[in-house]
Amino acid sequence: MLRSLSVLVLSLLLIVGLAACGGGSDEGQDGQSAEENGGSNGTVDVAAAEKTFEQNCANCHGQNLEGRNGPKLENIGSKLSKEEILTMIKKGGGGMPGGLIRGEEAENVAAWLATME
C-alpha cells in the first residue's frame, strides 16, 4: 500500500514538473520567436506600449505614427531593429531628447514599434 502511494505521488510530481517546463519552444502564440516579437518573454504588451507612446511620444510622432514635429514611424520596423529603436529612445537624436521613457516601458515601446512594417 505504501509503495503504491509513493509511486503515485512521484508520478504526479513528475507530471507537474514536466508541465511546468512547457513545450520548449521560443515561439509566441502568433508563431514568432521572442526576438521577432521583441519582448524578452516573447510578447509585447500592445495596450501598455500604445498608452506609453500616447503619453510620451504622440505629440511629436502623431497619434497614428504619421509624424508631426518628429518623423513618422508608420513603418519604422522595416527600417530599424528593436535594438536600434531602443537606442534612439534611450539616447535621443535628430532633435529628440533621450530618456523620455525608460526601463521596461522603453523596451516594450521599442518592441511594439519594431512590429510596425
Side-chain angles (χ1 to χ4, degrees):
M1 175 76 176
L2 183 59
R3 181 181 165 120
S4 297
L5 185 58
S6 296
V7 170
L8 179 63
V9 168
L10 287 174
S11 297
L12 287 173
L13 287 174
L14 180 62
I15 291 170
V16 170
L18 290 174
C21 290
S25 172
D26 286 341
E27 293 186 355
Q29 291 178 348
D30 59 2
Q32 290 183 319
S33 70
E35 185 174 308
E36 290 170 326
N37 274 331
S40 60
N41 63 359
T43 62
V44 175
D45 186 341
V46 174
E50 289 175 343
K51 182 178 179 181
T52 301
F53 181 88
E54 184 179 320
Q55 293 172 344
N56 299 282
C57 313
N59 283 337
C60 293
H61 295 288
Q63 291 289 336
N64 298 310
L65 312 175
E66 74 277 9
R68 295 177 75 191
N69 300 334
K72 65 181 176 179
L73 302 175
E74 293 167 326
N75 60 350
I76 194 68
S78 64
K79 298 175 185 174
L80 300 175
S81 69
K82 176 203 169 202
E83 291 76 24
E84 292 169 320
I85 295 168
L86 184 58
T87 298
M88 182 65 76
I89 291 170
K90 288 179 176 180
K91 295 184 178 182
M96 180 177 122
L100 292 176
I101 51 178
R102 298 171 189 220
E104 288 183 18
E105 284 185 324
E107 294 262 350
N108 194 48
V109 169
W112 173 67
L113 287 172
T115 67
M116 303 299 159
E117 296 183 348

